Structure formats: structure tokens, C-alpha cells
Amino acid sequence: MLRSLVGSEMCIRDSQKAVDIDVALADDSHHQLAMSLNALATCYAHVGQDEQSAVEYERAVEEYRVVLANPQNGDESHYASEGLSMALSNRGMVLAKLKRLEEAKSMFEESVSQRESGMGRGHESTLRTLRHLLQVYELLGDQEAADRTEAKLAGIENELAEDQQVLEAANAGHLMADRLEPKAP
């Protein structure tokens, strides 16, 4: 237990140092600062400092938004979009734990939107965030939204299962064709 606590405290200290360095450099690398803030927030979450974790995740979200608002960031915007969706989802988890369900719902809804456009509807991260959103809808007593989300999840999972069956059938066909082709002597 002591080793875990010491490790967690070191995580917070080291992550805070990274944030301080990123702020001191002030070289407009908002993406690096956002990643450091996300790491710091995660450290706070691991030691049960959920309020501070929520604050740091919010700071990370703000920094990712700065990166995405600048059209000159090019390729960095793709990574910032993924980082934003992760920070939103992480913040949603902490807010749900703190019973701040309306705020959590908002974070998960935006994260789902980001992940669907960036990673696709069937990506595991998108599906995981949809499941978290479903749980928040249920906790809020919003059965209509929960039913819609559950139906959406089921539809996506059915599509993925069908795609998997097609892929397996195609692979089986290729294996069979390989076996039937005469081998060169």
C-alpha cells in the first residue's frame, strides 16, 4: 500500500513538473501542455483526488480546443482530436464518480461525437464511451435516451458481427482456394 501511495505521489509530482515546464516554455505548444494536463489529471484520479482530477481534465480539454481552433496545426489536429475525445471521456468518468451526472453526460456526448467522426462508429473507444453514456442516461432516469443509445449500440455491434462473418467467410474461401490450387513441383 505504501509503495502504491508513494508511486502515485511521484506520478503527481512528475506530471506537475511536466505541466510547469510546458507552461514555462510558452512556445504555443498547447498540444504538449494538453497531454501533460491529461496525465496529471489521471494521476490525481488514481489517488482518489477526483475534484482535482476533474479540474485538470477540464484544463486539458481547453488546451486541446485551442489546438483544434488553430487551422495552422495541420497533422497535430488529428492527434489533438483524439486527445480531446480521451480527455472528455476521462473527465466524464470522474464527474460520474462525483455524481455530477449532467456534466458527465455532456462530456460523454461530446466524446462520442468526436470519436465517431475521428475513429469511426465501430471503434472500441467509441463503443466504450457509448456504454458509459448509456449508464449515465440510466442513472439520470432518462429512459428514452438510454433506449436510443442501447439501440444504437446494438445496431453497431450487429454490423460489426456481420462484417466479421463476411471477413471469416472470405478468409475461409481463400484458404480453400489455396488448398485446391496445384502445387508447383
Side-chain angles (χ1 to χ4, degrees):
M1 176 72 173
L2 181 60
R3 184 185 306 203
S4 176
L5 181 61
V6 170
S8 297
E9 293 301 322
M10 286 175 53
C11 176
I12 291 171
R13 184 194 68 220
D14 293 347
S15 294
Q16 184 61 58
K17 280 183 187 178
V19 168
D20 293 344
I21 290 168
D22 292 338
V23 169
L25 291 176
D27 66 351
D28 292 331
S29 180
H30 294 276
H31 188 218
Q32 182 61 46
L33 177 57
M35 289 187 302
S36 296
L37 287 165
N38 196 58
L40 177 60
T42 300
C43 292
Y44 278 120
H46 283 293
V47 296
Q49 294 184 31
D50 296 328
E51 289 290 346
Q52 189 62 41
S53 177
V55 168
E56 300 303 337
Y57 279 131
E58 180 57 27
R59 289 178 61 200
V61 166
E62 290 170 13
E63 291 299 322
Y64 281 122
R65 291 188 198 289
V66 169
V67 175
L68 292 170
N70 186 346
Q72 295 177 346
N73 283 327
D75 288 344
E76 198 172 339
S77 291
H78 169 73
Y79 298 109
S81 179
E82 288 181 16
L84 174 61
S85 66
M86 178 178 57
L88 288 164
S89 184
N90 290 344
R91 186 161 192 263
M93 293 294 290
V94 170
L95 291 170
K97 187 175 175 187
L98 292 168
K99 306 289 190 240
R100 292 165 51 184
L101 298 177
E102 285 294 334
E103 292 174 85
K105 177 182 83 166
S106 175
M107 295 294 108
F108 288 134
E109 287 173 340
E110 186 175 353
S111 181
V112 166
S113 176
Q114 284 283 326
R115 287 183 164 170
E116 284 179 336
S117 64
M119 299 176 186
R121 289 171 21 115
H123 192 279
E124 183 55 39
S125 294
T126 306
L127 295 173
R128 184 174 43 253
T129 305
L130 269 170
R131 288 183 196 105
H132 294 317
L133 180 58
L134 172 61
Q135 290 174 335
V136 168
Y137 284 145
E138 289 171 341
L139 289 169
L140 287 169
D142 188 345
Q143 196 57 48
E144 185 177 320
D147 290 344
R148 274 195 321 271
T149 304
E150 193 167 30
K152 181 177 182 174
L153 267 168
I156 294 168
E157 289 169 345
N158 285 339
E159 288 173 18
L160 292 173
E162 289 171 9
D163 290 348
Q164 184 63 33
Q165 288 174 347
V166 168
L167 183 60
E168 288 172 2
N171 285 337
H174 287 294
L175 289 174
M176 184 60 75
D178 289 344
R179 289 182 187 159
L180 295 176
E181 284 183 21
K183 302 291 183 205

